[in-house]
């Protein structure tokens, strides 16, 4: 059993494809399904997809291979480092004709591309297209409401989720069980666990990601009911840091981030958190869900088999608000119709339930609730798939506005300053509040 | 005599210390390239060396380092050659051939200005041109961008070295009946050969390291260079240290060999037919 | 009249094909490259800096705002901090790398047997992509599993430095990496400068009974001054643009300790897609760089005057 997710070779790749095909062959239902579906797909022109290299990429690549095998349609992949994705996508959609038939867009870039008018609405490619109810909504990530200038349930469908990444809370199940600790539901419980289990420098109670302070911190402010910005019922926008809970959220973040963490807490990125957890030096951590398969990889981690995961805690169990960091697949507007159609055909194929199961087993992160529920009892991926399934009702995606990158700049700067006491927590909150208000007012929003 | 030997030993000793300081991180890269991720995370000195990372970068489904290395060698050598020829011709003309001050000054300011701009400014125009010219996703597109970006360095560096050449040599050559071109080729160029070699090496190196344009002007390993392959190991939430180290180390060797050979060649080749200063 | 036309025609001919035409033909390829590949992007940039640009229904719409970008600068929480850090960084690395590069060049030019070893080793740091340099150094600096901490703890140091995680030490840590990476750049230019000094001059100085130090001071340094200043000028511009290396090492943190302007411009340009403001910032930073250029020009004039 060679399951090297972050370390995927051609050999592994063939093995994954082989295992998949074997699995499919062994499961007559699944097999006939794919065959049946494959028969529906007419021969399509070869397409090129822009996708980022990532720990879940091998899963994506395995599905591409399977698609070609079962439908005969060819797909080329432009595998690009994550930081290059935004510029490459932007260039492609501005060219005379896009070189890509489908582009993967990460959640934080959704507002720019959806708002730009550079993508082709899915209905213009396939008038009969409907989004399957089992595909998780992720805050209407597929739709753009151009009247409101934000994702909304009434919006036009511009992309289909293809990676359902969210935040999870990870813990060392072995340590928790040995000490009779239940996984926490609230920040208070998290602090108590950090206090009880922390034995620095061999085992740290908790650590937070700092580069940058934005995404995970969002789960704190949302849980405290202090969202960076929020659309109120009367159509005006409110700024969360102007409410008293804003300061509470900040203080809670600072405490959990600093008090039980390694001394270099001011310079921890996602890679550091993964490293600390994977080398057995961290008792619990709130981080990206797509990292989960890494912990079972013996080349990376020494804690395989001892990990647990659940919903990210909140102020109260009800107010838990994990954020999403998913990807949608979109089609540039500057494409001939048949190329856009060929791109969409693959996306539709990829997001069926059976193919999502195969997708997960090959190391990627599915987007369907029924897939997660079915995987929840799987002996290998069950420990995290169940946490994904459990998180869905609590998901609290950020409000995706074209101005979000500006808000992000303010929050991550001021929080970074507060983290190392360049400024006080109170000053940070006051500055974030006034800066976010100015950003919103300058952009013409009505701010309450 | 004795003092001379002692000072030589002292000189070499201190240089060996510098060599150690420079190589220390390189040793570390080599060591990391033999580690699995779990070994890196453990931070321990002791581990079982594995060659998995090297297998990965040459046979992996994501990175084909053999192709990337080939592209890098093509791109960087071409860029060094083109910048070397165009740059030294222009630099000689500007530095020695009595242009009006505003012409020479204007060109230099223009070059400095290009050099000062964040490279990202040029990405979209070059992308659109490469697509229009049909050279997108080939080494030619990357060469085009790198030539422009390295021209300021090439010209300004060479202007300095040409300015240092004593005027009498040039005049003597011209009196001898040489045309200006011959004077340049037979007299001046051999004198500045150390500068020319240094410039060519630096341009090569800058092209070798460049990431942004190599990424933006290509889609596949048909045109991509090594830094893009290396950057692929920095992922959203983890860095694949071992493969990155293996890639960096492997990529370094052909470049180093080529640079040393080229340096020797430029210095030796131009000596032939040179009039001794 | 006819006579005049004839003359100007001859003039034009002789300029293009006459004895002095080499001057023009030598410069022409550069001018062609510059006009074709840089004129348009630079004009666009200048135009962008006085505009606000936005995609509306798939079209990039531009609105003239004059000096309106100054308002954005006033509201920018990072630009000022980033500019200050950049200036500290630039001055520090240029001075340190000039001095070490010069010393290395002088020392290595004196060696014979091991010269090949020294020259090849010194080039090595330049051949590693900045992303990998940043990553490998961040791994060495890392407090939990990094090399430095492990060694220092083995040596019995109780509180090893936190390097990039210590706000007071982060910029210094970044400078150390830069010196390791870029000193070779200065070295290569300066070694070429030393090798260009006619050997008889050096020998004369040494035969005169001058000590090595005096030879350096009275022959090498004065002869090299223009080369040193050009190397410093090129390095200054390069240091202003420092990006990948810091991005990977610290991402600008802890706090704002290592925020630099090129990282900020990239963020404004790419993530925030404020093309107008990014162009404005780029031009502003270029203006800062021209202050350094003016300084080097002044210094080189002073040096030339001193040397007569």
């Amino acid at each position: 059993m060679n399951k090297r997710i972050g370390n995927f070779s051609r050999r592994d790749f063939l093995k994954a494809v082989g295992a998949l095909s074997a699995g499919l062959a062994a499961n007559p239902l699944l097999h006939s399904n794919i065959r049946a579906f494959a028969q529906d797909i007419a021969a399509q022109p070869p397409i090129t997809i822009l996708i980022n290299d990532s720990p879940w990429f091998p899963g994506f690549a395995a599905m591409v291979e399977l698609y070609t095998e079962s439908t005969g349609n060819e797909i080329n992949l432009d595998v690009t480092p994550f930081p290059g994705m935004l510029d490459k996508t932007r260039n492609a959609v501005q060219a005379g004709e896009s070189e890509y038939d489908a582009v993967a867009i990460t959640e934080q870039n959704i507002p720019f591309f959806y708002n730009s008018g550079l993508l082709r609405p899915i209905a213009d490619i396939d008038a009969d297209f409907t989004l399957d109810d089992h595909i998780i909504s992720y805050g209407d990530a597929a739709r753009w409401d151009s009247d409101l200038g934000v994702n909304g349930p009434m919006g036009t469908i511009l992309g289909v989720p293809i990676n359902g990444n969210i935040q999870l809370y990870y813990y060392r199940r072995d340590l928790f069980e040995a000490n009779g600790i239940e996984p926490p539901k609230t920040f208070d419980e998290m602090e108590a666990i950090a206090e009880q289990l922390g034995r620095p420098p061999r085992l740290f109670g908790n650590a937070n990601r700092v580069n940058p302070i934005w995404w995970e911190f969002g789960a704190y402010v949302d849980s405290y009911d202090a969202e960076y910005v929020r659309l109120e019922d009367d159509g005006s926008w409110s700024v969360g840091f102007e409410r008293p809970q804003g300061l509470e959220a900040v203080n809670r973040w600072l405490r959990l981030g600093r008090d039980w963490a390694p001394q270099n807490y001011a310079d921890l990125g996602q890679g550091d958190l993964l490293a600390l957890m994977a080398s057995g030096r961290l008792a619990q951590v709130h981080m990206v869900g797509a990292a989960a398969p890494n912990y079972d990889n013996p080349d990376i981690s020494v804690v395989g088999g001892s990990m647990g995961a659940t919903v990210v805690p909140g102020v109260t169990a009800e107010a838990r608000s994990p954020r999403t960091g998913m990807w949608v697949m979109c089609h540039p507007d500057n494409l001939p119709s048949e190329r856009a159609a060929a791109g969409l055909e693959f996306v539709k194929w990829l997001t069926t339930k059976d193919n999502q199961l195969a997708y997960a087993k090959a190391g990627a992160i599915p987007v369907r609730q029924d897939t997660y529920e079915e995987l929840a009892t799987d002996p290998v991926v069950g420990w995290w798939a169940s946490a994904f399934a459990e998180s869905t009702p609590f998901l609290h995606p950020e409000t995706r506005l074209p101005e979000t990158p500006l808000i992000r700049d303010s929050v991550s700067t001021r929080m970074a300053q507060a983290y190392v006491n360049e400024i006080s927590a109170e000053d940070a909150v006051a500055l974030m509040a006034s800066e976010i208000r100015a950003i919103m007012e300058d952009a013409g929003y009505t701010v309450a | 005599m004795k003092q001379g030997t002692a000072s030589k030993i002292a000189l070499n000793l201190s240089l060996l210390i510098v060599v150690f300081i420079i190589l220390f991180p390189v040793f570390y890269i080599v060591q990391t390239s033999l580690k699995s991720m779990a070994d890196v995370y453990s931070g321990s000195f002791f581990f079982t060396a594995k060659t998995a990372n090297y297998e990965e970068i040459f046979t992996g489904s994501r990175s084909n380092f053999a192709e990337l290395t080939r592209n890098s060698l093509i791109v960087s050598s071409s860029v060094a050659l083109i910048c070397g020829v165009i740059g030294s011709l222009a630099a000689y003309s500007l530095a020695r051939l009595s242009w009006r001050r505003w012409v020479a000054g204007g060109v230099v300011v223009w070059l400095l200005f290009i050099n000062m701009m964040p490279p990202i400014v040029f990405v979209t125009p070059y992308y659109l041109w490469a697509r229009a010219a049909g050279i997108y996703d080939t080494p030619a597109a990357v060469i085009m961008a790198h030539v422009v970006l390295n021209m300021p360095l090439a010209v300004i560096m060479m202007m300095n070295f040409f300015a240092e050449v004593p005027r009498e040599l040039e005049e003597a050559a011209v009196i001898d009946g040489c045309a200006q071109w011959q004077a340049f080729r037979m007299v001046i160029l051999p004198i500045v050969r150390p500068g020319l070699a240094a410039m060519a090496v630096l341009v090569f190196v800058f092209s070798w390291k460049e990431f942004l344009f190599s990424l933006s002007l290509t889609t596949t390993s048909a045109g991509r260079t090594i830094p893009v392959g290396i950057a692929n190991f920095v992922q959203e939430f983890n860095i694949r240290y071992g493969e990155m180290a293996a890639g960096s180390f492997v990529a370094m060797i052909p470049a180093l060999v080529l640079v040393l050979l080229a340096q020797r060649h430029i210095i030796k080749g131009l000596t032939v037919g040179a009039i001794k200063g | 009249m006819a006579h005049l036309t004839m003359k100007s025609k001859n003039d034009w001919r002789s300029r293009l094909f006459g004895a002095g035409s080499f001057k023009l033909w030598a410069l022409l390829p550069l001018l062609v490259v510059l006009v074709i590949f840089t004129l348009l992007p630079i004009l666009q940039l200048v135009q962008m800096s006085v505009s606000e640009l936005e995609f509306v229904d798939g079209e990039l719409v531009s609105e003239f705002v004059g000096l309106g970008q100054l308002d954005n600068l006033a509201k920018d929480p990072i630009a000022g901090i980033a500019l200050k850090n950049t200036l500290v960084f630039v001055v520090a690395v240029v001075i340190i790398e000039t001095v070490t590069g010069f010393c290395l060049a002088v020392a290595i030019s004196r060696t014979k047997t091991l010269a090949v070893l020294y020259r090849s080793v010194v080039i090595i740091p330049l051949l590693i992509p900045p992303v990998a340099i940043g990553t490998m150094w961040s791994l060495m600096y890392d407090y939990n599993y990094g090399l430095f901490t492990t060694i220092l703890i083995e040596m019995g140091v109780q509180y090893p430095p936190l390097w990039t995680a210590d706000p007071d030490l982060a910029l210094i840590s970044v400078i150390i990496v830069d010196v390791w990476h870029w000193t070779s750049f200065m070295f290569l230019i300066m070694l070429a400068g030393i090798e260009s000094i006619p050997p008889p001059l050096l020998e004369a100085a040494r035969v005169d009974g001058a000590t090595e130090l005096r030879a350096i001071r009275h022959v090498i340094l004065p002869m090299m001054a223009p080369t040193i200043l050009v190397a410093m000028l090129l390095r200054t511009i390069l240091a202003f643009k420092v990006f990948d290396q810091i991005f990977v090492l610290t991402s600008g943190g802890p706090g704002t300790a290592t925020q630099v302007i090129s990282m900020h411009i990239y963020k404004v340009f790419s993530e925030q897609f404020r093309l107008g403001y990014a162009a404005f910032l780029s031009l502003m930073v270029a203006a800062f760089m021209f202050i350094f250029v003016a300084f080097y020009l002044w210094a080189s004039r002073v040096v030339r005057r001193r040397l007569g």
Side-chain angles (χ1 to χ4, degrees):
Chain A
M1 181 79 198
N2 189 348
K3 237 171 18 64
R4 297 187 306 157
I5 302 298
N7 201 354
F8 199 79
S9 69
R10 172 95 194 141
R11 205 176 49 239
D12 297 337
F13 176 76
L14 293 174
K15 258 191 218 162
V17 173
L20 267 177
S21 322
L24 296 172
N27 183 340
L29 190 74
L30 214 58
H31 198 236
S32 62
N33 245 331
I34 286 196
R35 272 293 140 84
F37 198 76
Q39 280 163 3
D40 288 348
I41 295 181
Q44 303 284 350
I47 59 168
T48 305
I49 298 179
L50 176 65
I51 184 91
N52 69 312
D53 200 345
S54 70
W56 52 271
F57 171 75
F60 187 85
M63 295 309 286
V64 166
E65 190 92 344
L66 190 63
Y67 177 75
T68 305
E69 225 168 70
S70 57
T71 67
N73 293 326
E74 224 178 286
I75 298 183
N76 304 308
L77 297 178
D78 178 354
V79 189
T80 292
F82 179 69
M85 289 295 285
L86 177 56
D87 295 309
K88 288 208 75 145
T89 314
R90 197 179 271 142
N91 282 336
V93 294
Q94 284 184 67
E97 181 175 323
S98 166
E99 72 260 44
Y100 306 120
D101 306 274
V103 289
I105 293 178
T106 182
E107 180 170 341
Q108 67 190 62
N109 297 332
I110 283 181
F112 171 80
F113 286 106
Y114 280 18
N115 194 42
S116 68
L118 293 163
L119 299 177
R120 173 149 334 169
I122 304 288
D124 292 0
I125 305 170
D126 175 358
D128 301 328
F129 181 85
T130 51
L131 207 54
D132 195 316
D133 285 342
H134 294 285
I135 295 179
I136 300 165
S137 145
Y138 304 105
D140 296 307
R143 299 168 195 271
W144 189 250
D145 189 327
S146 45
D147 295 334
L148 290 172
V150 69
N151 297 106
M154 307 311 289
T156 315
I157 299 181
L158 290 171
V160 178
I162 52 131
N163 174 296
N165 192 23
I166 61 168
Q167 299 172 354
L168 288 184
Y169 166 87
Y170 296 93
Y171 61 98
R172 282 284 296 283
R173 208 184 56 234
D174 52 341
L175 295 178
F176 275 49
E177 277 168 6
N179 290 278
I181 302 169
E182 284 291 309
K185 289 193 170 65
T186 66
F187 295 134
D188 284 334
E189 289 166 17
M190 247 178 110
E191 288 188 12
I193 291 166
E195 188 64 35
Q196 187 186 343
L197 291 180
R199 294 282 179 279
R202 287 197 359 262
L203 183 69
F204 299 101
N206 187 54
N208 280 350
R209 174 190 181 194
V210 187
N211 288 334
I213 306 178
W214 160 262
W215 191 54
E216 292 83 356
F217 177 54
Y220 283 59
V221 292
D222 292 1
S223 176
Y224 272 97
D225 200 24
E227 290 98 327
Y228 302 141
V229 289
R230 184 170 69 200
L231 183 59
E232 301 295 344
D233 292 337
D234 62 0
S236 71
W237 291 81
S238 65
V239 175
F241 289 116
E242 290 176 351
R243 296 191 279 277
Q245 306 95 296
L247 181 61
E248 285 177 52
V250 170
N251 281 327
R252 177 74 82 169
W253 171 265
L254 294 177
R255 200 158 60 234
L256 266 163
R258 296 194 296 212
D259 289 9
W260 296 276
Q263 275 169 287
N264 64 335
Y265 61 79
D267 186 28
L268 294 176
Q270 296 192 109
D272 298 295
L273 298 184
L274 179 71
L276 284 167
M277 199 80 202
S279 59
R281 276 178 286 183
L282 200 53
Q284 54 177 352
V285 72
H286 158 197
M287 72 178 288
V288 55
N294 286 281
Y295 293 117
D296 288 331
N297 180 343
D299 277 349
I300 296 178
S301 156
V302 298
V303 294
S306 331
M307 291 289 293
T310 184
V311 187
V312 175
V315 187
T316 60
E318 297 72 41
R320 287 178 286 176
S321 310
R323 282 221 164 168
T324 59
M326 37 80 66
W327 292 72
V328 286
M329 191 71 92
C330 305
H331 308 281
D333 203 29
N334 51 348
L335 273 182
S337 300
E338 67 277 10
R339 285 181 55 194
L344 182 62
E345 221 40 70
F346 170 70
V347 176
K348 287 198 280 192
W349 178 88
L350 180 66
T351 48
T352 56
K353 185 182 172 201
D354 294 335
N355 291 338
Q356 286 285 298
L357 281 172
Y359 193 46
K361 288 185 176 165
I365 309 300
V367 294
R368 293 175 64 106
Q369 185 65 10
D370 51 358
T371 304
Y372 283 122
E373 280 164 9
E374 189 161 330
L375 287 171
T377 52
D378 184 278
V380 179
V381 301
W383 70 272
W384 56 266
S386 58
F388 271 82
E390 213 187 324
S391 294
T392 305
F394 296 101
L395 290 181
H396 208 277
E398 73 176 299
T399 307
R400 305 179 196 104
L401 295 174
E403 288 70 30
T404 301
L406 294 173
I407 298 173
R408 176 193 177 116
D409 206 21
S410 165
V411 172
S412 56
T413 305
R414 300 309 179 192
M415 285 304 291
Q417 289 181 306
Y419 211 66
V420 293
N421 295 320
E422 260 179 57
I423 55 176
S424 69
E426 289 77 12
D427 289 347
V429 170
L431 282 165
M432 289 188 288
S434 65
E435 284 167 5
I436 294 173
R437 173 172 279 273
I439 291 165
M440 295 297 282
E441 283 175 351
D442 285 353
Y445 295 94
T446 319
V447 184
Chain B
M1 196 65 189
K2 244 186 179 173
Q3 215 189 346
T5 318
S7 76
K8 250 183 205 163
I9 292 176
L11 176 72
N12 279 297
L13 264 185
S14 36
L15 281 173
L16 284 173
I17 294 173
V18 174
V19 166
F20 175 76
I21 293 173
I22 294 174
L23 287 186
F24 187 70
V26 180
F27 289 142
Y28 188 67
I29 290 176
V30 176
Q31 194 202 29
T32 306
S33 74
L34 298 169
K35 283 181 171 182
S36 73
M37 203 87 122
D39 291 325
V40 172
Y41 291 163
S42 80
S44 152
F45 285 122
F46 307 103
F47 66 97
T48 327
K50 299 176 191 77
T51 54
N53 294 316
Y54 288 93
E55 288 165 31
E56 173 65 27
I57 58 168
F58 283 106
T59 59
S61 56
R62 303 185 201 186
S63 274
N64 197 333
F65 262 73
E67 274 180 304
L68 298 185
T69 308
R70 182 204 63 199
N71 292 340
S72 272
L73 288 171
I74 294 173
V75 168
S76 303
S77 318
S78 316
V79 173
L81 190 69
I82 298 172
C83 279
V85 172
I86 299 184
S88 43
L89 277 172
Y92 179 64
S93 176
L94 289 169
R96 296 310 283 265
L97 300 182
S98 60
W99 283 99
R100 292 215 182 96
R101 277 187 78 162
W102 69 265
V103 178
V107 174
V108 170
V109 167
W110 189 246
L111 287 166
L112 284 174
F113 190 70
I114 300 166
N115 206 15
M116 288 170 178
M117 287 301 107
I120 181 96
V121 167
F122 297 101
V123 166
T124 307
Y126 288 6
Y127 166 81
L128 295 174
W129 285 340
R131 289 289 305 277
I135 54 169
Y136 181 75
D137 199 23
T138 67
V142 185
I143 292 171
M144 166 192 84
H146 287 187
V147 163
V148 180
L149 293 178
N150 286 304
M151 214 40 109
L153 176 85
V155 176
I156 290 168
M157 231 180 112
M158 287 319 289
M159 278 180 74
N160 167 66
F161 286 112
F162 284 125
E164 299 298 300
V165 177
R167 287 232 176 239
E168 304 82 56
L169 281 175
E170 224 172 349
E171 283 155 14
V174 172
I175 289 166
D176 281 354
C178 288
Q180 268 177 320
W181 152 250
Q182 283 164 317
F184 171 72
R185 170 70 188 83
M186 308 302 285
V187 182
I188 311 295
L189 217 48
I191 296 175
V192 298
R193 63 188 185 268
L196 187 62
M199 181 266 269
V201 168
L202 285 177
V203 170
F204 180 92
V205 156
F206 278 105
S207 170
W208 187 262
K209 300 161 90 77
E210 206 280 333
F211 165 74
L212 187 61
F213 288 89
S214 172
L215 173 75
S216 313
L217 303 178
T218 60
T219 359
T220 65
S221 51
R224 242 161 223 191
T225 60
I226 287 166
V228 182
I230 300 232
N232 264 330
F233 298 129
V234 182
Q235 305 192 335
E236 283 170 273
F237 46 84
N238 71 15
I239 298 173
R240 300 193 301 168
Y241 295 106
E243 286 144 285
M244 176 185 268
S248 308
F249 181 64
V250 164
M252 201 169 73
I253 294 165
L256 187 61
V257 170
L258 197 71
V259 164
L260 292 176
L261 287 179
Q263 241 180 344
R264 282 176 75 101
H265 179 76
I266 293 172
I267 290 180
K268 281 220 172 124
L270 288 172
T271 320
V272 180
I275 298 167
K276 264 284 167 190
Chain C
M1 202 59 193
H3 177 74
L4 265 179
T5 321
M6 276 304 285
K7 196 187 165 200
S8 71
K9 207 173 186 180
N10 277 340
D11 194 42
W12 173 82
R13 276 218 179 132
S14 77
R15 265 193 200 185
L16 271 186
F17 305 107
S21 65
F22 178 58
K23 170 174 142 177
L24 183 67
W25 287 109
L27 189 58
L28 204 61
L30 175 72
L31 292 182
V32 170
V33 168
L34 288 186
V35 170
I36 294 181
F37 291 108
T38 68
L39 195 61
L40 206 62
I42 296 288
L43 289 178
Q44 270 176 350
L45 182 83
V46 173
Q47 192 217 343
M48 265 163 28
S49 70
V50 289
S51 317
E52 285 289 2
L53 296 100
E54 196 186 1
F55 274 107
V56 178
D57 295 331
E59 298 295 325
L60 192 58
V61 180
S62 160
E63 183 201 345
F64 181 78
V65 293
L67 289 176
Q69 297 297 353
L70 278 170
D71 292 344
N72 282 330
L73 182 63
K75 280 182 225 152
D76 192 324
I78 297 197
I81 301 170
L83 198 58
K84 193 202 81 195
N85 288 339
T86 308
L87 289 173
V88 173
F89 175 84
V90 167
V91 171
V93 301
V94 170
I95 291 177
I96 298 173
E97 288 164 18
T98 305
V99 173
T100 39
F102 179 77
C103 294
L104 267 181
V106 171
I108 291 181
S109 72
R110 299 275 289 138
T111 60
K112 291 203 179 71
T113 27
L114 292 175
V116 179
L117 169 79
Y118 297 141
R119 283 170 191 227
S120 29
V121 165
V122 171
I123 297 174
I124 289 178
L126 289 177
L127 296 172
I128 306 172
V131 180
I133 290 183
T135 309
M136 288 301 145
W137 276 86
S138 74
L139 202 51
M140 290 198 282
Y141 277 141
D142 190 276
Y143 188 77
N144 295 306
Y145 42 88
L147 189 65
F148 295 153
T149 315
T150 317
I151 293 176
L152 288 172
I153 286 177
E154 289 290 320
M155 283 166 61
V157 178
Q158 268 202 313
Y159 301 102
L162 291 171
W163 303 111
T164 49
D166 179 342
D168 299 325
L169 210 54
L171 195 56
I172 296 174
S173 309
V174 166
I175 289 172
I176 291 175
V177 177
D178 195 86
V179 168
W180 180 82
H181 184 178
W182 286 111
T183 296
S184 315
F185 173 86
M186 302 302 269
F187 162 81
L188 277 173
I189 300 183
M190 297 211 203
L191 186 66
I194 291 178
E195 286 173 341
S196 304
I197 299 175
L201 268 178
L202 273 177
E203 280 151 27
R206 281 175 190 141
V207 170
D208 280 355
T211 61
E212 188 60 31
L213 270 182
R214 286 194 56 183
I216 291 174
R217 223 193 115 199
H218 294 288
V219 182
I220 299 183
L221 210 49
M223 295 282 297
M224 289 266 299
T227 306
I228 295 175
L229 285 169
V230 166
M232 288 176 82
L233 168 68
L234 292 169
R235 184 68 195 102
T236 302
I237 296 176
L238 209 58
F240 259 101
K241 296 195 291 184
V242 64
F243 180 79
D244 332 34
Q245 195 182 299
I246 296 191
F247 186 77
V248 177
L249 263 177
T250 64
S251 316
T256 52
T258 55
Q259 279 288 350
V260 287
I261 197 71
S262 63
M263 257 161 58
H264 187 55
I265 292 178
Y266 183 81
K267 186 171 61 189
V268 172
F269 188 97
S270 186
E271 265 176 48
Q272 303 179 353
F273 201 61
R274 295 152 83 195
L275 298 182
Y277 183 46
F280 177 82
L281 277 179
S282 308
L283 293 178
M284 203 187 72
V285 174
F288 267 94
M289 291 194 228
F290 270 112
I291 296 176
F292 281 82
V293 174
F295 169 77
Y296 291 126
L297 278 180
W298 171 80
S300 79
R301 206 165 286 169
V302 169
V303 167
R304 267 169 222 272
R305 203 173 298 149
R306 282 253 177 100
L307 297 174

